[in-house]
Amino acid sequence: MARPRKVVDISTGKIGKQARINRQIAEKKIKLDRKQLEVGAPGWLCDGAAEEYNRVVHEAGKIGLLDNLDLVVLAIYADNYARYVTASIEMRRTGLTVEGKFADVPSPYVSIADKAATQIQKCSTKLGLATTDRLKLIVPEKEEKQINKFLKYLS
């Protein structure tokens, strides 16, 4: 399986100057606008999910992180976030176990919270919501090599 292609600005491999310019032009062409994201959360999201959706859109807008094609993944993230919060509240209210036929068994909310947390992590990685994921997007500044001022005396 091939490795995913990196953004040219964070690529550490050796590529030619013209190839770098061509890739930068191509990357600018795939950047989309954010109008659909900024309209607001999809109507099918519950209030808690819509609140999280709008919060992420607002915060991500500060650095231009998300665009229209991220809408579905962001909606899935927000929906699972609300599901996780609801399950956590219910676990706190009812406990981690419930009375079963023969013995106490794990609460169904434990499974719900676990599955929601897994989806949250997958979606947040795709969206770059975690700091470690965003660090991959930072363009490292190249240091200028200083020319040794005494080299002129060696000639």
Side-chain angles (χ1 to χ4, degrees), residues 4-21:
R5 184 173 168 178
K6 291 182 182 178
V7 177
V8 71
D9 291 331
I10 64 170
S11 177
T12 56
K14 294 183 180 181
I15 61 173
K17 191 173 190 176
Q18 188 59 44
R20 180 177 291 277
I21 291 169

Side-chain angles (χ1 to χ4, degrees), residues 15-30:
I15 61 173
K17 191 173 190 176
Q18 188 59 44
R20 180 177 291 277
I21 291 169
N22 290 342
R23 282 180 57 184
Q24 285 174 334
I25 291 169
E27 287 171 8
K28 285 181 184 177
K29 287 180 182 178
I30 64 168

